[in-house]
Amino acid sequence: GQNIDQPTEMTATEGAIVQINCTYQTSGFNGLFWYQQHAGEAPTFLSYNVLDGLEEKGRFSSFLSRSKGYSYLLLKELQMKDSASYLCVSSSGGYQKVTFGTGTKLQVIP
Amino acid sequence: DAGVIQSPRHEVTEMGQEVTLRCKPISGHNSLFWYRQTMMRGLELLIYFNNNVPIDDSGMPEDRFSAKMPNASFSTLKIQPSEPRDSAVYFCASSPRDLGADTQYFGPGTRLTVL
């Protein structure tokens, strides 16, 4: 089966750094996506990790540990527009089926 | 590129009525997905197609739901008869190759309300 856990809500201050954690239990695991979804909008792709380690992309970085079933999304220099839900998504199986977590709603405050 | 196109954007219907949601994927994309999103259950994959063929429909809630992809540029999700618990936002997404191996591009969604 597939199971993804991430915090429901987080609050952080503009200009700060925030880390959103995700643990997964996925048979036939292939890789881990992070998507961003603003309220009332569609999800948009942020990152995809297949190998262990940290991948940096501008203000956003994503980390994966396959042995621990753990990932995090790191957001630096937070901006008000970063207020959104962040979805942890696992890919598994021969057809690489994706399973979405319920998302972490991040609120950035001044 | 226009992105993934969905219609209608909003649909309000009465219980028992048939509802048809439409999707046009990004040209050249081989995979198409239908999702349902609610506050309680988050984003759920209903069905996905690869090269117009349904690969996995295990997420389709019950026989009232059906999906078709008659060609590479069009797909429908039909609910018949609709029930109030079907109220949700339905997203269509497409990706260039196989499921999961590539970024999925989401349409704007259809917000369905069943009274």
Side-chain angles (χ1 to χ4, degrees):
Chain A
Q2 324 295 348
N3 188 43
I4 296 178
D5 288 311
Q6 53 182 131
T8 304
E9 295 181 341
M10 298 183 70
T11 301
T13 305
E14 189 176 17
I17 298 174
V18 70
Q19 178 173 312
I20 303 174
N21 296 322
C22 171
T23 58
Y24 62 88
Q25 295 172 322
T26 302
S27 56
F29 178 79
N30 294 314
L32 199 292
F33 290 88
W34 284 95
Y35 279 78
Q36 179 191 59
Q37 185 176 24
H38 284 98
E41 297 182 10
T44 56
F45 171 83
L46 287 178
S47 65
Y48 180 50
N49 291 63
V50 176
L51 303 176
D52 285 355
L54 184 69
E55 292 196 8
E56 300 185 63
K57 195 182 295 185
R59 294 190 299 114
F60 292 9
S61 301
S62 56
F63 172 84
L64 177 66
S65 169
R66 297 175 69 104
S67 62
K68 295 182 179 179
Y70 169 67
S71 173
Y72 67 73
L73 180 68
L74 192 70
L75 291 75
K76 304 176 184 176
E77 303 171 14
L78 279 173
Q79 301 175 9
M80 299 300 292
K81 67 177 182 179
D82 296 331
S83 294
S85 285
Y86 292 86
L87 307 171
C88 177
V89 186
S90 69
S91 167
S92 62
Y95 284 111
Q96 304 199 50
K97 183 173 183 175
V98 293
T99 302
F100 279 76
T102 54
T104 298
K105 186 175 181 180
L106 173 67
Q107 182 181 16
V108 180
I109 58 176
Chain B
D1 196 326
V4 176
I5 299 172
Q6 290 187 248
S7 64
R9 293 293 306 276
H10 301 272
E11 177 82 19
V12 180
T13 190
E14 293 186 345
M15 182 174 64
Q17 296 298 307
E18 177 180 294
V19 175
T20 299
L21 311 181
R22 298 173 176 79
C23 175
K24 176 179 169 55
I26 294 173
S27 178
H29 283 193
N30 294 332
S31 293
L32 182 141
F33 317 88
W34 282 101
Y35 292 90
R36 176 174 66 177
Q37 187 172 39
T38 61
M39 289 292 291
M40 292 297 294
R41 301 174 66 90
L43 201 62
E44 303 173 279
L45 177 64
L46 299 176
I47 185 170
Y48 75 92
F49 295 85
N50 184 252
N51 293 319
N52 310 339
V53 177
I55 302 300
D56 184 351
D57 64 355
S58 60
M60 296 286 265
E62 49 197 271
D63 292 344
R64 296 185 299 107
F65 286 68
S66 62
K68 294 182 179 179
M69 192 166 186
N71 56 62
S73 59
F74 183 67
S75 177
T76 59
L77 178 68
K78 185 176 293 186
I79 308 173
Q80 167 63 22
S82 58
E83 298 182 2
R85 59 189 168 129
D86 301 331
S87 297
V89 179
Y90 290 81
F91 287 106
C92 176
S94 69
S95 73
R97 292 184 296 155
D98 296 328
L99 171 65
D102 276 302
T103 301
Q104 293 187 30
Y105 298 83
F106 283 75
T110 295
R111 182 173 294 277
L112 174 65
T113 303
V114 183
L115 303 174

